[in-house]
């Protein structure tokens, strides 16, 4: 290279010296026809500038260089350089046959044998053997590299750097390529950018494509509006459009997919005809072939998906195992890792998952929350100790949309068959149950969260909480004995599923039980009142002598006693009563159901009053309490003590 540079330096030095002398010539018939108007020309070589008459400031070095010239300010170095130039000006040709056919083209630069050999365009630069060889009328092109833009004829404003870059381009315009074989096959495609070895090498007439990286979009022929950045990105794409692939081998195998957007090495690597997918992250949607309208964000997110559609995964490893499941949404690291063919599932939170490969309409919300059956919602992990909000949960209950309404709810019979218990939860056992279906997750990942001391402490505390409630299997059995289709039991949907209870469903049989008790109490009160009247009548007949003598007339209609409250009671109850204005004595007598005297309390005053009764000394059961005015019973009621 140093010798060649020295050689050309010497040539230019000699040419410059001769140019300073005015018209110079050296060689057979050099400047043979030059007249007095053609000044400041230099010719070295056989027939160099032979036909020049009026052209000025030209330099020709080599046999037949600028042989037909009458233009100005041209430089031709090499045999047949600027051979046919007549009126073109400001052209520079360096190399055998460089700008050989140029007649009127201006401002062209050709460096290399056969560079711009057939050119008649303007403002072109060809550097390299046969670069821009066929250019006829194309303007403003730059080609650097052997055979760069060799076939170009009318294409304009192209830039090609690299061996055989834009090699077959004929009329394509405003393309920019850098790299050997870059856009090698392009003929009529416009507005493309290719940087890298064989990038867009097969493109023929695709428009508005950008390829950056070795082999990027190397198979594209007619696809448009694609962007590939990274070695091998969109390498197999031929005629599809509007894809964006950023990352090594991103969308590498895509042939028929369109409108895909991926960022990350090997993202959507195996995609062939899947369309409208978005993948961000290393190997996101790696295995996808025909799946459409998926969105994967995160390292290996939706990695195994092949044909599943309409999935959204955000977070490293999210929806990793999904193959053909569709309509799923997973957000969070490792979220919905297990699902393969399930559909319409939703998980939100680190490690939130569906404990099964083919569930549908299952929702898990919160860290490590796991849902194990379809059409089910789970909130929180095994370490959660409280779930709540400002208002209570609302359950749909619009009568306009209820059918087959029947009053067939058992009350006391069902409630009395239940066994209330207290218990703690086996947190570790429950975690093992949820994790046993997550067989693909590496053990290191399974144990990483468990090793967190804060999480372990929370789970330990959760395992100490004493809960109250029922055993679901026992509730199921109690309902079955009564032929009661009780919706409060969340029954397993498979042999390996969990039991659960919906405690709000217990309200209905409890209300029914209270209604039944109220009806029983009303009947008892009526019966007791009738019995009391009979007793009073018998007393008045059997022991008239016990009635006080010379007592004043008492208007018993002004005396009354009310039902005690609360009733039943276990500690204290209150009895309200009303006394007349004129009477001598008043008392409240309490007897057991057999009539045995339990307590007698004197009262006084007029109008409304009250008496507090304690359950101390009273055993559980029914009692009568009566108001006596001047020895005559004015009213009686029944009360119940329950302990």
């Amino acid at each position: 290279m140093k010798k060649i540079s020295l050689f050309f330096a010497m040539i230019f030095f000699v040419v410059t010296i001769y140019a300073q002398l005015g018209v110079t010539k050296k060689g057979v018939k050099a400047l043979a026809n030059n007249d007095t108007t053609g000044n400041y020309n230099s010719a070295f070589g056989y027939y160099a500038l032979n036909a020049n008459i009026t052209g000025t400031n030209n330099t020709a070095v080599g046999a037949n260089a600028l042989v037909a010239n009458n233009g100005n300010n041209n430089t031709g170095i090499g045999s047949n350089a600027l051979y046919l130039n007549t009126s073109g000006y400001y052209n520079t040709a360096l190399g055998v046959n460089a700008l050989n056919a140029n007649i009127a083209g201006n401002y062209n630069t050709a460096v290399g044998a056969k560079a711009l050999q057939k050119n008649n365009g303007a403002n072109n630069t060809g550097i390299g053997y046969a670069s821009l060889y066929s250019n006829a009328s194309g303007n403003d092109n730059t080609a650097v590299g052997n055979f760069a833009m060799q076939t170009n004829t009318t294409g304009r404003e192209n830039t090609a750097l690299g061996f055989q870059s834009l090699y077959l381009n004929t009329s394509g315009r405003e393309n920019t390529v850098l790299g050997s074989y870059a856009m090698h096959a392009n003929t009529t495609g416009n507005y493309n950018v290719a940087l890298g070895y064989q990038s867009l090498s097969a493109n023929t007439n695709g428009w508005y494509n950008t390829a950056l990286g070795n082999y990027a979009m190397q198979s594209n022929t007619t696809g448009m509006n694609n962007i590939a950045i990274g070695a091998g990105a969109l390498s197999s794409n031929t005629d599809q459009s509007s894809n964006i692939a950023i990352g090594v081998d991103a969308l590498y195998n895509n042939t028929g997919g369109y409108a895909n957007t991926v960022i990350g090495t090997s993202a959507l690597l195996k995609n062939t005809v899947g369309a409208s997918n978005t993948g961000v992250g290393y190997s996101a949607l790696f295995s996808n072939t025909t799946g459409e309208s998926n969105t994967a964000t995160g390292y290996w997110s939706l990695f195994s998906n092949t044909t599943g559609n309409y999935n959204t995964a955000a977070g490293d490893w999210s929806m990793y195992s999904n193959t053909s499941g569709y309509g799923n949404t997973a957000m969070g690291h490792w979220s919905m890792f297990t699902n393969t063919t399930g559909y319409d599932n939703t998980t939100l939170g680190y490690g939130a998952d569906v404990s099964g490969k083919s569930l549908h309409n299952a929702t898990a919300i919160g860290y490590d929350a796991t849902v194990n059956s379809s059409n089910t919602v789970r909130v929180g992990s095994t370490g959660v100790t409280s779930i709540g909000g400002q208002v209570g949960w609302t359950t749909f209950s619009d009568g306009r949309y209820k059918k087959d309404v029947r009053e067939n709810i058992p009350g006391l019979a069902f409630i009395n068959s239940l066994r209330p218990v207290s218990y703690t939860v086996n947190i570790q056992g429950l975690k093992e149950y949820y994790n046993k279906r997550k067989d693909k997750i590496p053990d290191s990942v399974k144990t990483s969260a468990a090793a967190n001391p804060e999480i372990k402490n929370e789970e330990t505390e959760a395992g100490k909480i004493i809960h109250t409630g029922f055993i679901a299997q026992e509730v199921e059995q109690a309902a079955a004995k009564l032929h009661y289709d009780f919706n409060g039991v969340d029954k397993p949907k498979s042999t390996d599923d969990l039991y659960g209870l919906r405690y709000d469903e217990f309200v209905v049989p409890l209300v029914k039980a209270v209604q039944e008790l109220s009806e029983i109490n009303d009947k008892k009160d009526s019966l007791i009142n009738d019995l009391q009247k009979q007793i009073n009548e018998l007393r008045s007949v059997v022991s008239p002598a016990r009635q006080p003598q010379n007592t004043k007339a008492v208007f018993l209609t002004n005396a009354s006693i009310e039902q005690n409250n609360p009733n039943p009671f276990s500690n204290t109850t209150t009895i309200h009563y009303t006394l007349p204005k004129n009477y001598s004595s008043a008392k409240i007598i309490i007897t057991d159901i057999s009539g045995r005297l339990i307590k007698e309390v004197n009262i006084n005053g007029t109008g409304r009053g009250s008496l507090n009764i304690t359950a101390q000394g009273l055993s559980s059961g029914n009692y009568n309490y009566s108001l006596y005015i001047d020895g005559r019973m004015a009213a009686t009621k029944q009360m119940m003590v329950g302990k």
Side-chain angles (χ1 to χ4, degrees), residues 34 181 338 411 425 465 544 590 642:
N34 191 70
Y181 299 102
T338 305
V425 176
I465 295 176
I590 299 174

Side-chain angles (χ1 to χ4, degrees), residues 179-210:
S180 297
Y181 299 102
M183 286 191 71
H184 178 274
N186 191 76
T187 55
T188 58
N190 304 324
Y191 313 112
N192 297 292
V193 177
L195 283 78
Y197 177 74
Q198 290 198 21
S199 56
L200 270 169
S201 60
N203 193 76
T204 54
N205 61 346
W207 291 30
Y208 298 106
N209 295 297
T210 300

Side-chain angles (χ1 to χ4, degrees), residues 40 47 80 104 122 157 161 167 175 186 195 224 308 312 343 349 363 376 409 447 460-461 470 482 506 541 601 641:
Y40 305 105
Y47 279 96
N80 298 318
E157 299 174 3
L161 283 77
Y167 178 80
N175 297 294
N186 191 76
L195 283 78
M224 298 184 179
T312 300
Y343 55 93
T363 301
T376 303
I409 307 301
T447 57
T460 300
E461 292 303 314
F470 306 107
L482 297 171
F506 286 85
V541 171
V601 181
V641 177

Side-chain angles (χ1 to χ4, degrees), residues 577-593:
Y577 54 84
T578 301
L579 298 178
K581 291 183 179 180
N582 300 312
Y583 67 95
S584 298
S585 64
K587 63 179 67 176
I588 291 178
I589 296 177
I590 299 174
T591 61
D592 61 19
I593 201 68

Side-chain angles (χ1 to χ4, degrees), residues 383 425 427 453-465:
V425 176
I427 300 296
E454 184 175 350
I455 294 176
K456 291 185 68 174
N457 290 337
E458 290 174 351
E459 292 177 347
T460 300
E461 292 303 314
K464 294 178 180 179
I465 295 176

Side-chain angles (χ1 to χ4, degrees), residues 546-566:
R546 295 179 58 187
Q547 299 297 328
Q549 300 295 321
N550 301 322
T551 58
K552 299 179 180 179
V554 176
F555 297 98
L556 297 182
T557 56
N558 295 329
S560 64
I561 193 169
E562 300 176 13
Q563 184 66 51
N564 64 302
N565 185 35

Side-chain angles (χ1 to χ4, degrees), residues 67-86:
V67 68
N69 183 71
N70 267 298
N72 303 320
N73 301 294
N74 296 295
T75 300
I77 301 176
S79 297
N80 298 318
L82 276 163
Y83 179 85
L84 296 177
N85 192 75
T86 55

